[in-house]
Amino acid sequence: MSGINPSYRKQRIESGHTPPDPAHLATQILAGHKPALSRAITLAESRKREHQELASKILEHCVANRSEQQTPLTLSRRIGITGYPGAGKSTLLEALGMQLVAQGASVAVLTVDPTGLRTDGSILGDKTRMNELSKHPSAYIRPSPSSKSLGGVTTSTFTSIQLCEAAGYDWVFVETVGVGQSEAMVSLMTDIVCLVLIPGAGDDLQGMKRGLMDMINALIINKSDGPQVDQAKQTAQQYQQALGWDPLMESEAEPGKSVIHRVSAETGEGLENLLGWLQKRWDNGLAAGSIQRKRDVTLDKLMTIEASHLIKHWMESVLDLSSPEWQQAKQHLLTGDHTLSVAVEPIVRSLLQGTKKD
Ligand SMILES: Nc1nc2c(ncn2[C@@H]2O[C@H](COP(=O)(O)OP(=O)(O)OP(=O)(O)O)[C@@H](O)[C@H]2O)c(=O)[nH]1
Ligand SMILES: [Mg+2]
C-alpha cells in the first residue's frame, strides 16, 4: 500500500473509516480517554453486526486488563433517573454529579430517550445543562440520540453502561424521558430507579399505574424552592398517603423500602440527603444480595428482548414473499378462512426447522 498518501491514510483513520483496533481502544478507555469511550459507545449503538462484535471485543479487552480487585459488582452503581420532560433531571444530575466528583468519585451520565420524542436539538440542550459536570475530568456525559435506532435502545444502552463500567466510572446514571415505557426499560438496566416529579404533580397519581410504581425506588419532588416549597411539601404528602411510602426520613427508612425526597436541584436543598440515601441504599442492597438478584433477574429479561430483536431481524432477512408457501398463506387470508397467526405460523416453523438442520 505504498502508493497511499500517508496524510490521506491518517485522515481516513481519524474520520472513522478504518475499523478501530479494539485492543488499542480498550487501552485508551482504561486510561480514561473519553473520546475512545465515545467511539466504543457509538459502536455499541450501531445495529451492524461488525460494530457489535467490535464493541464486544473492546469489553473483552477491558475486562481482561482491569485490576484484579475489580469484580462486576464493585465497578459501578447503576442509577436510573426518569421523569417527565422538564422535570429537572439533567439539572439534578449536574448537581449530584458535582457533589460526587467533589468527593473523589467518577460519574458517567447516559442520556437516553427511548420514546424518540426529542429532537437532537434538545439533547444538545441537555449537554449544556450539565455544563460544569461535562467539563470535569472525572465525569463523562453521553447524550444518545435514540431516534436513529428506535427499538434498539434498551439493549445498546446496556452495552453503553457496561462500557462506562469498563472505563472505571463509579456511578453510571441513565437519564430517560417520560412516564411509562421508559421506566420498564431503565429498570432492567439499573440497580436503583428514581422518578423525578415537580410540585403539583400529585394530581397525576391516578394516572400512574401500580406496576409503574413498583419499578420506582424513590420519588424525587424537584423544584422545591421559592414560592413552590409549600406546594412541593403538599405533593410529597399526597404521594406518601397514596403510596404508603416513607417521606423524606431517608436515614430511618428501612433498607429496600421506597422513599420520597423533596429537593431543589437549583438551590441544592435536600441533595445531600438524596445522595446519602442513594449510597446507603446501594451499599445495603449489595450487602443483602438484592442488587445481585435484581441484576440476575433483569438479565434474563434483557437477553430475551435481545433474542427477540435478533430473531426479528433474521426473520425479515430470510422471509421470501414470493415463495409458494407465502402466497398460499396469503390466499387463505384473502379468502378469509384462516387467522393471521394460523396462516403465518407454519412458514415460521419451517424456517426455524431449516436452521436447525444446518
Ligand atoms: N426552580 C427550579 N427550576 C429548576 C430546578 N431544576 C431544574 N429547573 C429548571 O427546569 C427546566 C428543565 O430542567 P432540565 O434539567 O433540563 O429538565 P429535564 O428533566 O432534564 O428535561 P428533559 O431532558 O428535556 O426531559 C430548566 O429551565 C431548569 O433550569 C429546580 O430545582 N428549581
Ligand atoms: Mg434532561
Side-chain angles (χ1 to χ4, degrees), residues 7 19 43 77 112 122 180 195 208 237 292 297 330 341 357:
S7 69
L43 290 169
R77 295 153 192 245
V112 195
S122 72
L195 174 60
M208 287 190 185
Q237 247 172 17
Q292 295 89 320
V297 171
K330 188 152 79 179
S341 168
K357 274 182 222 136

Side-chain angles (χ1 to χ4, degrees), residues 86 88-91 111 118 122 126 129-130 175 177:
K89 302 178 292 296
S90 302
T91 314
T111 307
R118 276 185 300 186
S122 72
D126 258 344
R129 283 241 161 87
M130 290 184 255
E175 178 188 337
V177 156

Side-chain angles (χ1 to χ4, degrees), residues 61-195:
H61 281 290
C62 286
V63 170
N65 291 299
R66 72 183 169 210
S67 76
E68 266 176 30
Q69 297 92 314
Q70 290 178 309
T71 66
L73 278 160
T74 58
L75 290 177
S76 302
R77 295 153 192 245
R78 305 175 186 168
I79 315 292
I81 302 285
T82 182
Y84 288 121
K89 302 178 292 296
S90 302
T91 314
L92 187 67
L93 282 171
E94 160 94 356
L96 290 179
M98 287 309 288
Q99 289 200 7
L100 282 167
V101 294
Q103 292 171 12
S106 55
V107 176
V109 180
L110 302 169
T111 307
V112 195
D113 177 10
T115 59
L117 284 176
R118 276 185 300 186
T119 61
D120 287 6
S122 72
I123 281 166
L124 278 178
D126 258 344
K127 207 166 187 182
T128 54
R129 283 241 161 87
M130 290 184 255
N131 229 348
E132 285 303 305
L133 191 62
S134 62
K135 281 187 241 148
H136 198 283
S138 303
Y140 173 78
I141 297 176
R142 168 76 179 199
S144 293
S146 63
S147 44
K148 273 196 246 160
S149 56
L150 262 184
V153 174
T154 309
T155 46
S156 74
T157 304
F158 182 71
T159 309
S160 304
I161 294 173
Q162 288 181 303
L163 283 162
C164 290
E165 281 185 347
Y169 286 96
D170 302 317
W171 294 75
V172 181
F173 290 96
V174 182
E175 178 188 337
T176 57
V177 156
V179 170
Q181 271 282 299
S182 53
E183 283 74 15
M185 287 190 260
V186 85
S187 160
L188 293 181
M189 299 182 286
T190 54
D191 306 319
I192 298 173
V193 183
C194 303
L195 174 60

Side-chain angles (χ1 to χ4, degrees), residues 197-203 221 230-240 260:
L197 297 165
I198 53 168
D203 304 340
I221 319 286
D230 286 342
Q231 203 182 8
K233 282 184 185 163
Q234 255 179 27
T235 308
Q237 247 172 17
Q238 276 175 308
Y239 277 111
Q240 185 214 332
I260 300 174

Side-chain angles (χ1 to χ4, degrees), residues 252-318:
E252 289 166 26
E254 286 170 46
K257 250 192 142 180
S258 303
V259 293
I260 300 174
H261 295 265
R262 188 169 50 79
V263 305
S264 166
E266 231 158 63
T267 66
E269 173 90 31
L271 293 188
E272 215 172 296
N273 271 346
L274 171 60
L275 206 52
W277 177 82
L278 273 175
Q279 277 164 328
K280 204 168 149 202
R281 169 76 194 240
W282 200 88
D283 290 348
N284 288 345
L286 188 72
S290 61
I291 302 273
Q292 295 89 320
R293 277 195 298 279
K294 185 179 178 192
R295 288 192 183 184
D296 190 80
V297 171
T298 51
L299 267 180
D300 282 337
K301 293 185 181 159
L302 273 180
M303 288 166 72
T304 307
I305 291 172
E306 183 64 6
S308 310
H309 278 312
L310 292 174
I311 287 179
K312 183 173 175 283
H313 282 286
W314 171 78
M315 194 54 80
E316 281 165 3
S317 71
V318 297

